[in-house]
Structure formats: structure tokens, C-alpha cells
Amino acid sequence: MPAFDLPLSQLERHRPDIEEPADFDAFWQDTLKAAGEADPVVSVRPVETGLRLTRTWDVTFRGFAGDPVRAWFSRPAGVGEPLPAVVEFAGYGRGRGLPHERLTWVNAGYAHLLMDNRGQGDQYGCGGDTPDPHAVAPGGPGPAVRGLLAAEDYHYRRLITDAVRAVAAARELPGVDPGRIAAGGNSQGGGVALAVAGLVPGLAALLTTAPLLCGIRRALDLTDAGPYGEIAAYLSVHRGAEHAAFRTLSYVEGVSFARRAQAPAHFGVGLRDTVCPPSGAYAAFNRYAELTGTDPRREIHAYPFNGHEGGEAVQVRRQLAWLGEVLD
């Protein structure tokens, strides 16, 4: 796919106005207050993985509406002191999979919590273990359109709330330094991590690559690739539902979360990405922390000839070096 979005010189200055609802902050304050009324951690059970250098636990924590959400928690074996932790969020259609699938962060010496995606896990990888009992509102079968016609019913309201609660759970897990928590992910996981950065006080770092849910209205005009293509397909059938859908999407717009974030941030983007167009990531990066009165450390790495895969291992190498400076 050739480059199709703005040229890099324009992306670096891209600061679009967005339609932000007046009650954006109240909406999320009320949502998170209701979810935070109970202690987050439900259970922590050790599991045998066959890995001699890693210890892993099967964690259940309370997410949206107190629903049980599963996660894998891992630490380097034989290390006793509290460690900084990376809370990771998986991509669209994935679940937490198997505990030995994602070992980069624990091999780098961090504690690692990988959250399951409620109601997902059936499209890629090795599945998930967290149902979504609230997925009953009008909308299509894919997560991007479940409950699309009302913000209160939308799938991403629940998933983002789960993610905020995952950080709260990580802070209570054994062997974690609660003051050194990073949120990270790619694609959907990157968009969810960005939301966490805008909602969780005291987050120590953000790692986001090719984030979904950024510059949503522009992305819908640029691409038919999923998940944005699922939204367009739904609206192609439900003609006249655009106003309600766009209002719902305005409550999960990544640029709005970015404006409220304060943590140091590391971004990555492929300039030929037709799944999450690069203008969305740059919009979030360029408006990052603008409402907070702070100027946190942040950087973005562009890969001109890559699509949604971004910089792959090159980007991870950059993340490892950067996070080591920020957290250690």
C-alpha cells in the first residue's frame, strides 16, 4: 500500500480540532467511580508454564460493573524486590492467549500484567477467557459496533474501564512497585493504553504504537479496513444513525484522552498504515498533555515504508531503551 495519508511534514504539525462532548470528563468520572467501589483484585493463582525463568499467576480482577476480568501476571523468577510493571492491552479481536506468548517485558526485568479483552479473543491468537455480559444493546457483531448508538452501552466504555481497573489491580499485586506502572499496547491495545494515560493519575509511562480510536472521524473517511470498516459497514445499513454513532465515538476519542494525559509517552506509527491511519497517532501526539499544564517527555517514531505492523522488533527495541530510562 502506498502512502495515503498526509505527508510527514504535515503530520508533524497535525493538530485537528475534535468534537468533544461537554460532559466528557463527567461521563468518565461517573463510569470509573461506579467501577471503583470494590477492591480490584479477586484472585491470584500460580500457574505452571514450563518456563524456568518466569513465574506466572492467573489473575482475576473486577472491571466494569464489577465483572470478573482475567489477566496473566508474570515476574522474573528468583527476584524478590518490588519491580516496575508494564500493564499491556491486546489488539482487536485477541484475548490474553497463553501465558508464555508475551515474554518481552518480563525478560527485560519488569513485572507484566496482560489484560484479557472482554468479549473478544475469537479472531486471532489463542483465545480469551473473559465474556462480556453487557453486549446486548443494538449494534453489529464486532466489538467496534457493539452498543454503538449510545455511549452508555458502547463496548469500549466497558473495555477502557477494565483497563483502568487493570492498573489499579497491578498496583496491588505482590512484587510490584505501585509508583512505577507503565501502560502499553499496539493497535486497539495502543488506543486503550492511551485512554488509560488520560484517566489514571500517577501513571509512570505510556507506550503506544499504531493506536486505534485516534482521529476517528478522519479515519472513517480514509479507510474501510477493520475495525473502522466495521463501523462504516454498520452505518451503510443503518442509514441515519450517524449522529448517534459519532456522539458515542466522541466519548472514546483518543485525542481527547491524550489532551488529559501527563505520563511520559512513547509513540510509534507506520506511515502506510491503512488500519489505523497515521494522522490519528500524530493528532494524539501533537495534542498530548495540552490540558494538564505539564510538558512530559514524549517522542514518536515513524516508519515510512511500514503499514500496521509499524516498526515491529525495531520499535520494541526503542521502547525497551526508552522505558529503561524512564522507569529505572
Side-chain angles (χ1 to χ4, degrees), residues 11-15 281-288 290 298:
L11 288 172
E12 291 174 340
R13 303 189 304 272
H14 185 55
R15 298 173 59 88
Y282 272 94
F285 180 80
N286 290 334
R287 302 194 67 179
Y288 194 84
E290 70 178 9
R298 67 187 190 275

Side-chain angles (χ1 to χ4, degrees), residues 13 41 82 85 95 149 158 204 218 226 240 281:
R13 303 189 304 272
V41 178
L149 301 186
R158 301 188 291 276
R218 177 176 170 82

